[in-house]
Amino acid sequence: MSSAQETVEYATEHAPRLEWARHAPEVYKAMVRLDTAARQGLDPKLYELVKIRASQLNHCAFCLDMHTKDALAAGESVERIVQLSAWEESRHFYTEKELAAIELTEAVTVLTEGFVPDEVYERAAKQFEEAELARLIAAITVINAWNRFGVTTRMAPGHYRPGQHG
């Protein structure tokens, strides 16, 4: 396949629609501040696992690229990142606290029942102190917002390097 053909296929399937951060810089800056506030007090590896899992569920390739690279930079293992999409069958890779966070991430991200089930919330509440749980919920909410920007505007993955954001 020639380079021109590759470019056409790429442009046809994955061309970014809008540079939303350039056109709404105050919104972007507010999102970065919110993200920074939400991550305070959360374990960096746990934070990245949550970001990756939500991004998998939301099919946000840009955020998957970013948070996989950030997780690796934070010392996360390739094996645990790979197993995350099948965490229910790979529970032994994660701590009970991480499992509670991952399960809560799924419940908050996919609100098909219209609410977060009590048992999911209670498992998380047993693993996290209230302030940490509040920040975890904020982190889950923020990544879902980032995913929606990324998916809607078709932000292209593959160019991010750890330390670039914020």
Side-chain angles (χ1 to χ4, degrees):
M1 182 180 289
S2 75
S3 179
Q5 287 172 317
E6 289 174 9
T7 303
V8 169
E9 284 184 24
Y10 178 81
T12 304
E13 293 183 19
H14 304 288
R17 291 178 171 156
L18 175 71
E19 292 180 48
W20 76 270
R22 184 168 63 89
H23 295 290
E26 293 307 315
V27 175
Y28 177 78
K29 290 175 193 170
M31 286 291 298
V32 170
R33 286 191 305 273
L34 183 60
D35 200 353
T36 300
R39 79 172 60 210
Q40 299 303 311
L42 291 178
D43 174 79
K45 289 182 188 178
L46 175 79
Y47 172 82
E48 295 303 336
L49 289 175
V50 163
K51 299 284 189 167
I52 293 166
R53 187 63 191 135
S55 299
Q56 289 171 335
L57 293 166
N58 289 322
H59 307 282
C60 185
F62 181 86
C63 291
L64 276 170
D65 178 58
M66 173 184 283
H67 294 292
T68 299
K69 289 172 180 173
D70 284 346
L72 291 168
E76 186 54 82
S77 73
V78 171
E79 187 173 47
R80 284 172 28 108
I81 293 169
V82 168
Q83 291 299 318
L84 192 55
S85 64
W87 68 269
E88 290 176 294
E89 293 81 24
S90 305
R91 298 177 73 85
H92 63 282
F93 284 97
Y94 308 99
T95 67
E96 287 301 313
K97 187 172 187 174
E98 290 167 339
L99 289 168
I102 293 164
E103 187 177 25
L104 184 62
T105 299
E106 289 200 7
V108 172
T109 301
V110 185
L111 292 170
T112 55
E113 311 244 345
F115 57 89
V116 172
D118 290 339
E119 60 273 10
V120 171
Y121 184 85
E122 289 165 13
R123 274 192 288 279
K126 286 179 185 174
Q127 295 294 325
F128 294 87
E129 293 180 17
E130 286 185 341
E132 190 179 20
L133 182 58
R135 291 187 186 280
L136 174 62
I137 294 167
I140 295 166
T141 301
V142 172
I143 189 56
N144 275 280
W146 283 121
N147 289 164
R148 279 145 180 81
F149 283 118
V151 171
T152 302
T153 63
R154 291 186 179 159
M155 293 175 69
H159 307 288
Y160 175 78
R161 299 291 169 259
Q164 280 183 325
H165 57 0

